[in-house]
Amino acid sequence: MTIQMSLFNEPAPSLPVSYYPDFLSKQEANELYQHCLGLQWQQNQIKMLGKTMPVPRLECMYGDEGCDYLYSKSVLLKPLAWTEELAGLRDRITATTGYSFRIVIGNQYRSGQDSIGWHSDNEASMGLDPAIASVSLGAVRKFQIKVIGGKPTDFWLEHGSLLVMHPGCQSTHLHQVPKTNKFVTTRINLTFRPHVGGGK
Ligand SMILES: O=C(O)CCC(=O)C(=O)O
């Protein structure tokens, strides 16, 4: 079932996303969170406006062999082999959504000062109009999405939830997880994505 919900559980305006607040049970989400804490997180550096700076979060990537992922023309992620847990989650999301995925990128937000700014995920390595499925674990953070040039809609992405950005979303919309000065503990986000390269 596809549910569109936003802040205070009001129906979202027409957005190319679906939100499943209880995609995982609490126990499944807790176990997956523990598994993900043990993944191979790295602090990458990004080049922006001629400066090199740390990416404001930790990252990791798992996926099919050879499915390298370059974003912002400066951060190159190379896939580690799927863990059993991540592959199981990938298959479960495919069974629910009908979309297939070849990589998963992990983001670890260590505090409210970790974030990801407004962007769309339009890297050519994912092919045209990718569907992206995003699982959230740990602390609840605000996720904002807006049509380019429009006003944002806020979602509070809960522990064990799944947010699906449907094909087309990356061409018309931007999204972000803003910084917050409130005290927040660690949040882990997993984005499952297609990939057109690598060995099949
Ligand atoms: O952490 C999130 O919910 C969003 C992550 C994201 O936007 C991305 O990986 O491109």
Side-chain angles (χ1 to χ4, degrees):
M1 183 175 56
T2 295
I3 306 170
Q4 288 203 342
M5 304 287 271
S6 68
L7 183 59
F8 308 130
N9 293 335
E10 286 170 6
S14 179
L15 286 168
V17 302
S18 302
Y19 183 54
Y20 304 77
D22 301 314
F23 183 68
L24 300 175
S25 70
K26 282 288 166 287
Q27 188 181 335
E28 288 170 333
N30 292 344
E31 285 170 11
L32 188 63
Y33 179 76
Q34 288 306 322
H35 173 71
C36 288
L37 285 176
L39 296 177
Q40 290 193 38
W41 296 99
Q42 47 191 63
Q43 174 66 75
N44 292 316
Q45 303 286 317
I46 188 166
K47 270 191 215 137
M48 280 171 78
L49 307 169
K51 283 190 185 160
T52 299
M53 56 192 88
V55 171
R57 57 193 180 277
L58 300 180
E59 295 173 304
C60 64
M61 186 168 94
Y62 290 75
D64 294 354
E65 201 179 328
C67 289
D68 291 1
Y69 188 88
L70 178 73
Y71 75 86
S72 298
K73 295 185 187 150
S74 71
V75 182
L76 178 63
L77 303 173
K78 288 186 164 282
L80 296 164
W82 289 102
T83 66
E84 205 180 310
E85 289 83 350
L86 292 176
L89 183 60
R90 173 201 62 199
D91 294 345
R92 196 163 154 187
I93 298 171
T94 295
T96 299
T97 63
Y99 298 130
S100 300
F101 307 100
R102 298 189 63 213
I103 55 172
V104 56
I105 297 179
N107 288 307
Q108 184 180 148
Y109 302 87
R110 296 156 290 185
S111 75
Q113 291 311 295
D114 276 357
S115 62
I116 188 163
W118 285 114
H119 69 287
S120 62
D121 295 307
N122 52 10
E123 284 68 26
S125 59
M126 288 190 289
L128 265 190
D129 289 337
I132 297 180
S134 164
V135 172
S136 291
L137 301 165
V140 176
R141 290 286 296 265
K142 181 161 76 178
F143 172 92
Q144 297 183 296
I145 182 162
K146 63 178 182 183
V147 73
I148 295 168
K151 287 195 179 143
T153 297
D154 298 346
F155 286 79
W156 295 89
L157 298 184
E158 294 151 284
H159 183 50
S161 68
L162 170 68
L163 179 85
V164 180
M165 293 186 270
H166 294 289
C169 182
Q170 306 304 324
S171 312
T172 52
H173 289 68
L174 302 174
H175 58 276
Q176 71 163 353
V177 175
K179 293 187 195 305
T180 174
N181 287 327
K182 292 194 184 128
F183 174 77
V184 278
T185 53
T186 303
R187 168 174 183 262
I188 289 175
N189 172 255
L190 302 170
T191 51
F192 291 81
R193 303 165 187 243
H195 197 287
V196 293
K200 304 274 174 191

